[in-house]
């Protein structure tokens, strides 16, 4: 009864429900990322998306805060200009391939298993109307260049460069009497040198089955052709009042040095980076001192790797190095025999400071 009397209300009183305290919400980090101009530091920021340039720009100061903005707006296709030569600018499609000729915007009528006779006839008629022998020949050559580069594990930029060089030859109609295989071999050889991953004549011969003498001849002819084409192009740009782009300038390749070959050979032999660096320094000093003057870069690189591997305690036999370098083990031993008496001129004393290298580890010549 006492509890009931406490809950009784006096006349005219209004019942007020008891307030229940809400549990305090735990602190959480705000993970919403906001882009703010680092110059204006305005909040909220005034940013404008310029889809035409793909940039995110601050409206106040004009600072570009981001690039490669994706246009998420709808892409509408209008057909208002169909009767005016198909010049509708709002139509989109795949990017043009600079390695092929023509507009590359034609439609392909497919035909496969299960198709009716009408589809087959349309497919055949379209092939006859759009058949281009030059484009077909380029595609076949590009396919062969890609397959050869993949077989040697050459980077894609080398393959693209070789295709571009081949297209220059094809567009100019040069080297009519030469076989396509020899031209492809020469383009791959030049592309490897331009992309700083040089290959030897012997490696290109093993890849393409084109003789080393033929590769050497076509290489010299292609170099002269590309240099003449580049000079003509640059002269036309200057006469037109334009500015020559240094990136478009064709640079004549130089002879592959032993220092450039050491990196690839050491990688194939499984040697560490320090041994690679030592072999490169040794190969660089050979040109200045001249103990191996007139020798092939392959034999010089093999001898330097042979010396560096023994200095670092990772000895590689001349037979192992010959399998990678493509020269006989006797040639490597003879080259090492020539540089062994002058070893103190080539070897830097700093290599022995950590105690990992020792001159006594070198085998006697």
């Amino acid at each position: 009864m006492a509890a009931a009397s406490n809950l009784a209300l006096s006349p005219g009183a209004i019942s007020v429900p008891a307030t229940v305290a809400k549990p305090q919400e735990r602190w959480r980090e705000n993970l919403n990322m906001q882009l703010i101009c680092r110059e204006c530091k305005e909040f909220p920021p005034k940013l404008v998306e310029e889809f035409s340039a793909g940039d995110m720009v601050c409206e106040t100061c004009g600072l570009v805060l981001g690039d490669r903005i994706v246009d998420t707006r709808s892409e509408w296709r209008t057909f208002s200009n169909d009767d005016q030569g198909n010049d509708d600018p709002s139509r989109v499609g795949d990017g043009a391939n600079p390695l092929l000729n023509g507009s590359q915007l034609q439609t392909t009528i497919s035909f496969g298993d299960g198709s009716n006779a009408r589809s087959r006839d349309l497919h055949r008629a379209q092939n006859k109307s759009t058949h281009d022998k030059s484009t077909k020949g380029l595609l076949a050559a590009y396919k062969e260049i890609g397959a050869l580069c993949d077989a040697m594990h050459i980077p894609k930029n080398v393959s693209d460069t070789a295709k571009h060089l081949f297209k220059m030859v094809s567009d100019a109609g040069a080297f009519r009497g030469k076989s396509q295989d020899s031209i492809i071999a020469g383009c791959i050889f030049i592309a490897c040198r331009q992309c700083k991953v040089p290959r030897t004549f012997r490696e290109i011969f093993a890849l393409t089955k084109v003789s080393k003498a033929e590769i050497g001849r076509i290489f010299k002819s292609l170099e002269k052709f590309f240099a003449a084409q580049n000079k003509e192009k640059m002269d036309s740009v200057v006469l037109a009042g334009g500015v020559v782009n240094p990136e478009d300038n064709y640079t004549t390749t130089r002879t592959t040095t032993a220092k450039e070959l050491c990196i690839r050979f050491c990688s194939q032999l499984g040697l560490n980076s320090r041994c690679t660096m030592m072999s490169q320094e040794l190969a660089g000093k050979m040109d200045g001192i001249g103990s191996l003057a007139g020798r092939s870069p392959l034999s010089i690189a093999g001898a330097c790797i042979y010396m560096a591997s023994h200095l670092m305690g990772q000895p590689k036999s001349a037979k192992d190095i010959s399998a990678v370098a493509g020269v006989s083990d006797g040639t490597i031993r003879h080259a090492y025999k020539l540089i062994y008496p002058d070893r103190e001129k080539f070897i830097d004393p700093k290599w022995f400071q950590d105690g990992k290298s020792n001159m006594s580890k070198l085998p006697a010549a």
Side-chain angles (χ1 to χ4, degrees):
M1 294 296 294
S5 61
N6 293 335
L7 296 175
L9 298 176
S10 60
I14 300 175
S15 175
V16 179
T19 58
V20 180
K22 295 182 180 180
Q24 186 176 3
E25 185 177 358
R26 295 180 60 185
W27 179 86
R28 293 185 302 172
E29 182 181 1
N30 185 8
L31 299 179
N32 294 326
M33 299 179 61
Q34 288 186 334
L35 183 63
I36 300 177
C37 178
R38 59 177 177 269
E39 295 292 338
C40 304
K41 298 182 180 179
E42 293 182 345
F43 188 82
K46 298 179 181 179
L47 305 181
V48 179
E49 293 181 351
E50 294 187 357
F51 293 112
S52 60
D55 297 334
M56 178 78 72
V57 184
C58 176
E59 186 179 11
T60 304
C61 65
L63 181 67
V64 178
L65 302 177
D67 56 359
R68 296 184 179 273
I69 302 300
V70 178
D71 190 353
T72 57
R73 299 174 298 178
S74 299
E75 191 278 314
W76 301 102
R77 298 179 63 195
T78 62
F79 301 90
S80 58
N81 294 327
D82 277 359
D83 297 332
Q84 303 177 13
N86 295 329
D87 57 348
D88 185 2
S90 65
R91 297 196 179 203
V92 298
D94 192 12
N97 188 352
L99 298 175
L100 296 177
N101 298 320
S103 61
Q104 307 170 28
L105 296 177
Q106 59 267 24
T107 302
T108 302
I109 300 176
S110 63
F111 171 74
D113 297 337
S115 301
N116 54 22
R118 179 62 61 85
S119 298
R120 180 187 59 193
D121 295 340
L122 288 174
H123 177 72
R124 184 179 302 169
Q126 193 224 14
N127 284 342
K128 290 181 179 179
S129 62
T130 60
H131 181 69
D132 188 359
K133 291 184 178 180
S134 62
T135 302
K136 186 176 180 181
L138 284 175
L139 289 175
Y142 294 160
K143 184 177 181 181
E144 185 176 356
I145 291 175
L148 293 174
C149 292
D150 290 341
M152 283 189 67
H153 305 287
I154 297 177
K156 187 178 183 300
N157 63 329
V158 179
S159 175
D160 294 340
T161 304
K163 292 176 183 178
H164 176 68
L165 295 176
F166 183 86
K167 186 176 186 299
M168 291 176 62
V169 176
S170 177
D171 292 345
F175 305 101
R176 291 289 185 182
K178 296 289 184 180
S179 67
Q180 181 172 297
D181 293 338
S182 61
I183 296 176
I184 289 176
C187 291
I188 293 176
F189 183 80
I190 295 175
C192 289
R193 284 193 172 184
Q194 286 191 340
C195 296
K196 310 301 181 184
V197 285
R199 295 297 189 269
T200 62
F201 285 135
R202 185 179 286 106
E203 289 174 303
I204 301 297
F205 160 70
L207 177 69
T208 62
K209 303 306 178 184
V210 179
S211 65
K212 292 186 289 183
E214 180 62 23
I215 296 175
R217 285 193 293 266
I218 194 65
F219 161 68
K220 292 180 180 178
S221 301
L222 286 173
E223 284 273 76
K224 294 179 181 178
F225 169 75
F226 292 139
Q229 288 282 95
N230 179 72
K231 187 177 183 302
E232 182 180 350
K233 179 182 176 182
M234 295 298 113
D235 291 343
S236 62
V237 171
V238 173
L239 290 175
V243 179
V244 177
N245 187 2
E247 296 182 358
D248 295 338
N249 191 19
Y250 177 81
T251 304
T252 305
T253 59
R254 55 181 177 80
T255 305
T256 304
T257 62
K259 187 176 181 180
E260 295 173 336
L261 297 173
C262 286
I263 302 177
R264 183 158 53 92
F265 293 165
C266 289
S267 176
Q268 294 176 356
L269 290 169
L271 299 174
N272 57 22
S273 58
R274 175 159 183 174
C275 188
T276 304
M277 180 196 67
M278 291 174 61
S279 62
Q280 283 186 286
E281 291 189 19
L282 287 172
K285 293 178 180 179
M286 298 298 170
D287 298 334
I289 298 178
S291 296
L292 295 177
R295 292 279 175 177
S296 169
L298 295 173
S299 57
I300 296 175
C304 293
I305 295 173
Y306 183 78
M307 177 179 284
S309 63
H310 282 82
L311 282 174
M312 287 300 299
Q314 304 177 21
K316 296 292 181 180
S317 64
K319 188 174 182 180
D320 295 336
I321 300 175
S322 67
V324 173
V327 294
S328 64
D329 52 347
T331 303
I332 295 176
R333 282 194 294 266
H334 181 67
Y336 173 75
K337 184 178 180 180
L338 294 176
I339 64 175
Y340 182 77
D342 298 329
R343 57 190 180 278
E344 295 182 356
K345 298 180 183 179
F346 302 134
I347 298 175
D348 193 345
K350 296 180 181 178
W351 297 346
F352 306 136
Q353 292 180 356
D354 56 358
K356 295 182 180 180
S357 303
N358 192 349
M359 187 84 75
S360 62
K361 295 181 180 180
L362 287 177

